[in-house]
Amino acid sequence: MTFLMSLHSNPVLRKTNLAVWRACWRSWKSRLHSSTVCTSSGPGPLNGPEEVSPVSHENAPHNPVMLREVLQYLDIQHGQVVLDMTFGGGGHTKAILNLVPEVTVLALDRDPTAISLAEQLAKEHTGRVKPLLGRFSKLEALLSEMNMKPGSVDAVLLDAGCSSMQMDQADRGFSLSKDGPLDMRMDGERYPDMPCAADVVNTLDQQALASILTAYGEERHAWKIASAIVEARRVNPITRTQQLASVVAGSLPAAVVYARKDRLHRPAHVATKTFQALRILVNDELNELHAGLCAARAALRPGGRLCVITFHSLEDRLVKRFLQGEDLSNLDQYHFSPRKGGKGKMLDEKRDGGSLYWRPLRRKVITPEREDVKDNPRGRSAKLRAALRC
């Protein structure tokens, strides 16, 4: 394949620096057709909703994370405009509609299946729900099309990461526990030529795969896993989720496989970080998250409130540093590893060291209560940051 030959022939592109691999992947992913490994249902419209998998609104598999805390810190009032930037199964939006009279919710999601649920909810609450199909990076344009001016939104909720609905649908390729095609595209089939996770694991070489697993999965055994992936695909292409999970598990000693625990001290699958890394790369999640935070800042009025829920340390560090006013304009050269002290380059710092745009509603990060985690184990790693727009 031309893409792979280019990687091997150019010594610059073979550097382990993640920025190089990200730039390389971006430049080629528009040319790398999903037909190389992923099966597509055929070309569809690039804009607007299309036919999607049927998911009933009543049985939408979504238990909203940290709902009580979100409602507390957003403090939504009668008649306000709320932007739910990750509608998903609609759990947060439904709670807001039921709690606050005459509120209007702008329901954004990049997943057409989620937007179909938002459209059903809009029929039940006439004039109170406005579905918006698109990524975070398209939000400002979508709001402009609605004649929404900057600074006209009262509250914003951003619930980052993969939704429960996506995890529960095996054919989306996000789940470790359910076998399905190794896809992981949050946009579904909106962009048929967009590379999927199978394209990544069957195309990039060991060095590139190890860099991705280290940077986006914070995987200590990245090199061993990358080596096992390369060896396995020489026999057969890796096209299924449980196929990849088995390759990862088989690459590590039993002591590592059985030692991993989640925050409830339950056994955790050894491939979890690998799946996270591939999902982040395929969906450009960190750049999209930064774009979403910038769009939220522009949309909120002074005094408006922002709540952001994250599920892993890369997301949380990005959100924390954004709210502190750090310059994150070049994420490819920005490393989200923990710092021992000090701040990075400041973009909007006040004289007293705070941000010009944000005032934290609570200085420390907010985590779920123990009882909430028992009721909703998927929210065990959630972190909530809340801020007031200055």
Side-chain angles (χ1 to χ4, degrees):
M1 176 183 295
T2 305
F3 171 67
L4 188 57
M5 291 175 60
S6 174
L7 288 178
H8 286 283
S9 63
N10 191 332
V12 176
L13 296 182
R14 289 182 56 81
K15 291 181 180 179
T16 58
N17 190 314
L18 178 65
V20 176
W21 289 117
R22 282 217 50 80
C24 173
W25 183 248
R26 280 184 189 150
S27 67
W28 281 94
K29 74 178 186 177
S30 63
R31 295 197 217 173
L32 183 59
H33 296 288
S34 56
S35 59
T36 56
V37 176
C38 284
T39 57
S40 170
S41 60
L46 296 185
N47 298 300
E50 67 272 16
E51 188 173 336
V52 295
S53 303
V55 178
S56 70
H57 176 58
E58 293 77 9
N59 299 318
H62 182 67
N63 190 5
V65 175
M66 301 184 72
L67 178 60
R68 180 176 62 254
E69 293 84 351
V70 165
L71 295 176
Q72 174 188 342
Y73 285 101
L74 286 182
D75 191 25
I76 302 164
Q77 303 299 312
H78 176 95
Q80 287 190 335
V81 177
V82 180
L83 173 59
D84 185 348
M85 295 184 63
T86 41
F87 179 82
H92 288 105
T93 288
K94 286 187 284 187
I96 292 169
L97 291 169
N98 293 332
L99 181 68
V100 187
E102 303 301 323
V103 71
T104 299
V105 179
L106 310 177
L108 175 74
D109 207 291
R110 66 191 290 179
D111 189 337
T113 302
I115 291 300
S116 71
L117 297 179
E119 289 170 344
Q120 293 178 41
L121 190 62
K123 294 177 182 178
E124 299 173 14
H125 299 270
T126 305
R128 299 182 65 196
V129 179
K130 311 289 185 184
L132 298 171
L133 175 62
R135 303 178 180 184
F136 294 153
S137 55
K138 303 299 182 183
L139 176 58
E140 291 191 42
L142 291 170
L143 293 177
S144 178
E145 291 173 4
M146 295 179 63
N147 296 318
M148 293 282 297
K149 295 181 180 180
S152 57
V153 173
D154 299 291
V156 174
L157 170 63
L158 196 164
D159 184 358
C162 186
S163 73
S164 292
M165 180 178 62
Q166 291 167 333
M167 291 292 295
D168 287 336
Q169 293 178 307
D171 61 345
R172 301 299 298 273
F174 293 99
S175 177
L176 275 162
S177 61
K178 300 178 181 180
D179 189 42
L182 190 58
D183 194 329
M184 299 193 192
R185 293 173 296 176
M186 290 182 175
D187 299 275
E189 294 291 346
R190 291 187 66 223
Y191 304 97
D193 292 342
M194 177 181 173
C196 66
D199 292 316
V200 178
V201 299
N202 289 285
T203 302
L204 298 185
D205 65 16
Q206 182 175 344
Q207 195 172 32
L209 289 170
S211 295
I212 291 164
L213 298 182
T214 300
Y216 292 150
E218 299 181 299
E219 174 58 72
R220 291 185 300 166
H221 304 283
W223 191 258
K224 287 184 179 180
I225 294 171
S227 175
I229 289 173
V230 171
E231 289 298 320
R233 75 190 189 194
R234 287 174 180 164
V235 180
N236 287 304
I238 301 172
T239 61
R240 309 288 295 182
T241 54
Q242 292 195 344
Q243 184 185 4
L244 175 61
S246 296
V247 170
V248 174
S251 69
L252 301 175
V256 174
V257 172
Y258 295 110
R260 290 203 173 174
K261 308 288 183 182
D262 64 19
R263 293 194 177 188
L264 297 180
H265 302 289
R266 303 176 308 180
H269 199 289
V270 74
T272 299
K273 293 183 177 181
T274 297
F275 273 58
Q276 172 185 303
L278 292 173
R279 195 198 75 215
I280 291 175
L281 178 74
V282 166
N283 296 288
D284 200 15
E285 288 185 33
L286 296 183
N287 281 288
E288 283 295 319
L289 177 57
H290 181 240
L293 292 169
C294 292
R297 182 177 62 196
L300 275 171
R301 63 169 176 82
R305 292 172 174 242
L306 171 69
C307 282
V308 184
I309 301 174
T310 59
F311 290 88
H312 58 76
S313 57
L314 296 178
E315 292 174 339
D316 182 59
R317 290 175 203 143
L318 191 158
V319 173
K320 177 183 178 181
R321 295 172 189 181
F322 178 87
L323 294 176
Q324 288 175 340
E326 294 193 29
D327 182 6
L328 308 180
S329 57
N330 191 345
L331 291 185
D332 282 343
Q333 295 180 5
Y334 197 96
H335 302 287
F336 294 98
S337 58
R339 282 198 295 265
K340 295 182 179 179
K343 292 183 178 181
K345 179 182 176 183
M346 302 303 292
L347 181 66
D348 55 87
E349 186 176 21
K350 284 183 178 179
R351 289 184 179 180
D352 63 2
S355 169
L356 286 172
Y357 296 109
W358 304 104
R359 178 169 64 83
L361 293 172
R362 180 169 167 177
R363 192 160 296 277
K364 291 186 178 181
V365 69
I366 306 155
T367 55
E369 298 290 339
R370 183 174 299 179
E371 294 76 14
D372 294 336
V373 173
K374 289 180 179 178
D375 293 338
N376 185 11
R378 283 183 175 174
R380 62 190 177 275
S381 58
K383 293 181 179 180
L384 171 65
R385 294 189 183 272
L388 190 75
R389 178 73 161 86
C390 298

